[in-house]
Amino acid sequence: MNGKRWAALIIAGVLLVFSLGINTVFAIFKSDFFSNFDSLVAGNELTVMEEVKESGEMDKRIAYLKVDGTIQNVGSSTVWQAVSYDHQFFLNQLDNILYDDTVEGIVLSVNSPGGGVKESAEIYKKLLKIKEERQIPIYVSMDSMAASGGYYISAPADKIFAQRDTITGSIGVIMQSINYQALAEKVGIKYETFKSGEHKDMLSPMREVTPEERAMMQDMINETYQEFVDIVAKGRNMSEANVKKVADGRILSGKKALEAGLVDEIGDEEATIAALRKDFGLEDAELFEYSYDVGGWQSYVGMKIGSMFGPSAEEKMLMKIMADYKAPKMMYLYGEN
């Protein structure tokens, strides 16, 4: 064997080893290895902190809370991936306030198109519990959007502020399923279904919804919708008839919502905080918010690794579609229909 062939074999061997090494690294970072390893890293534990936004008396404080994003329970941030809205962490904040006697008021900033019926109801119930047991004021500051579930969680507030260009309203319930029966038939895919009852595969993507099933689903939607209307009527001290005038799913600007009685004043977050201070003698109260850290340098390294070896934008979109349509569910949601 001459020198050229030896050189070619050596180069081929180096390339093979290099390729195997790269594929191994990708496999590790795309597997659950590091999600399991997270539990062994001390920095992965959520470290809840309080950050002072405006200094003042520490025994008389205002808690600043923020709901930013779709109200869904998608898990918590890790050192490898951050989530925009952490539902469990937000519920924990409400629990902290329930047992913290130094908190004498809440400013809730809402910037959300809504979300799940269950998650919205969980927030609503905890806010009611705080009002009943702590008897402290809750003021809501609507950001660019506080629609559907975003309005649902705002309804029990003592006072709601919206900006003129805030998108709010969208009072109603939506439930969607996807039907790709025609597509499957076109490409030659056939589902074989074995079921214990006539409606066990209701809302299957592989068959049409029957008129009877459509009536069943509409009854469920109507029941949940009525609960939404009742919550708005109770929270805003409005009659059911007046709520239903604008509770047909329509969105409203802040100005129109004020005219409809869905909000109390036009103003930004600063105006909301100032009003709460003035209305309840909390001018000298400290304003603080909760935050958490998923772990110093591990967080930084993890996010860098996630950006390098994590799924592409196309893969993330595909995963979102698959997750969203895995099982239809009722939503208080505007903007992603």
Side-chain angles (χ1 to χ4, degrees), residues 51-248:
E51 296 182 2
V52 177
K53 291 175 66 70
E54 296 177 8
S55 59
E57 296 182 13
M58 296 181 64
D59 60 343
K60 187 169 64 174
R61 306 192 298 161
I62 300 171
Y64 172 85
L65 308 179
K66 191 172 183 67
V67 172
D68 190 0
T70 304
I71 305 171
Q72 285 187 291
N73 191 1
V74 296
S76 298
S77 295
T78 69
V79 297
W80 311 110
Q81 185 176 11
V83 297
S84 58
Y85 168 72
D86 187 329
H87 183 63
Q88 194 56 54
F89 177 63
F90 187 77
L91 295 181
N92 289 345
Q93 294 177 60
L94 297 178
D95 286 336
N96 284 345
I97 292 171
L98 187 62
Y99 302 107
D100 187 345
D101 292 336
T102 68
V103 178
E104 296 193 5
I106 297 173
V107 171
L108 173 60
S109 173
V110 180
N111 186 33
S112 173
V117 167
K118 176 179 179 292
E119 292 90 340
S120 300
E122 286 176 334
I123 294 174
Y124 173 81
K125 289 175 182 177
K126 283 189 179 289
L127 288 172
L128 276 189
K129 188 173 183 180
I130 289 172
K131 288 189 67 176
E132 292 169 359
E133 296 188 13
R134 292 293 322 284
Q135 297 184 348
I136 58 176
I138 301 173
Y139 277 26
V140 164
S141 172
M142 292 182 169
D143 205 324
S144 59
M145 179 177 289
S148 202
Y151 188 81
Y152 184 103
I153 66 173
S154 302
D158 296 280
K159 189 172 285 189
I160 301 175
F161 285 72
Q163 301 180 52
R164 290 186 178 277
D165 56 354
T166 295
I167 295 175
T168 188
S170 189
I171 297 171
V173 189
I174 188 167
M175 185 176 187
Q176 293 179 312
S177 66
I178 189 169
N179 187 309
Y180 45 78
Q181 180 181 5
L183 175 62
E185 291 173 353
K186 186 175 181 180
V187 298
I189 298 174
K190 184 179 180 181
Y191 260 45
E192 296 290 354
T193 302
F194 305 93
K195 53 187 180 178
S196 58
E198 179 183 357
H199 304 295
K200 184 59 180 173
D201 63 340
M202 196 161 73
L203 297 184
S204 166
M206 291 305 299
R207 71 171 178 84
E208 296 290 335
V209 178
T210 68
E212 183 182 6
E213 290 169 344
R214 194 172 296 278
M216 292 178 189
M217 297 309 302
Q218 192 60 52
D219 282 343
M220 288 176 57
I221 294 293
N222 292 345
E223 182 180 343
T224 306
Y225 166 73
Q226 186 60 49
E227 291 178 6
F228 198 160
V229 170
D230 291 343
I231 281 170
V232 175
K234 179 180 178 181
R236 300 301 302 165
N237 195 26
M238 296 171 63
S239 68
E240 180 180 313
N242 283 338
V243 173
K244 286 189 173 181
K245 287 179 181 178
V246 290
D248 54 5

Side-chain angles (χ1 to χ4, degrees), residues 300-312:
Y300 177 77
V301 173
M303 289 180 183
K304 288 296 182 182
I305 289 173
S307 64
M308 291 172 61
F309 300 106
S312 64

Side-chain angles (χ1 to χ4, degrees), residues 45-50 89 92-93 96 290-293:
E45 295 296 324
L46 296 182
T47 303
V48 180
M49 301 174 292
E50 293 182 0
F89 177 63
N92 289 345
Q93 294 177 60
N96 284 345
Y290 297 102
S291 63
Y292 67 78
D293 182 13

